[in-house]
Amino acid sequence: EVQRVIMSEIKAFEGDEVPLERAGSQAAIYKDRYFLVFGGIFEVTYELNDLHVFDTKSGRWFTVEEDNKNAS
C-alpha cells in the first residue's frame, strides 16, 4: 500500500504568533488537528522555552502562555 502525503507552505495571518526559526525543538501532532512546536535553540545560543500551536483546521498559529509562576 502506497501512502500519499501532500505538503504545502503555511502562510501566517496578520497577528498570528509564528514561532522563531529554531533547531533542536520538539514537535508533535495532537488530536489529528494541532501541530505543536516546543523549545529549541535560536541563533546558536538563545534557548527557547515556548510552546507554539498551529491549528490545521483554521490555519492559524498561537502561543500557549504558561500560567504556573513556580515553573522553572
Side-chain angles (χ1 to χ4, degrees), residues 7-58:
M7 298 177 70
S8 61
E9 181 181 354
I10 297 172
K11 297 193 186 254
F13 289 88
E14 187 173 332
D16 278 3
E17 299 175 31
V18 179
L20 295 170
E21 297 174 20
R22 58 191 68 210
S25 59
Q26 299 294 314
I29 299 293
Y30 179 66
K31 292 192 174 185
D32 290 328
R33 178 176 177 170
Y34 302 103
F35 176 64
L36 305 132
V37 178
F38 174 74
I41 298 174
F42 175 68
E43 293 188 349
V44 183
T45 58
Y46 185 68
E47 292 183 13
L48 301 167
N49 189 26
D50 54 355
L51 176 60
H52 291 270
V53 179
F54 180 73
D55 182 337
T56 61
K57 299 231 190 255
S58 69

Side-chain angles (χ1 to χ4, degrees), residues 54-72:
F54 180 73
D55 182 337
T56 61
K57 299 231 190 255
S58 69
R60 305 295 303 254
W61 281 103
F62 60 94
T63 301
V64 177
E65 299 294 332
E66 186 173 335
D67 196 19
N68 185 352
K69 306 285 187 244
N70 296 319
S72 55

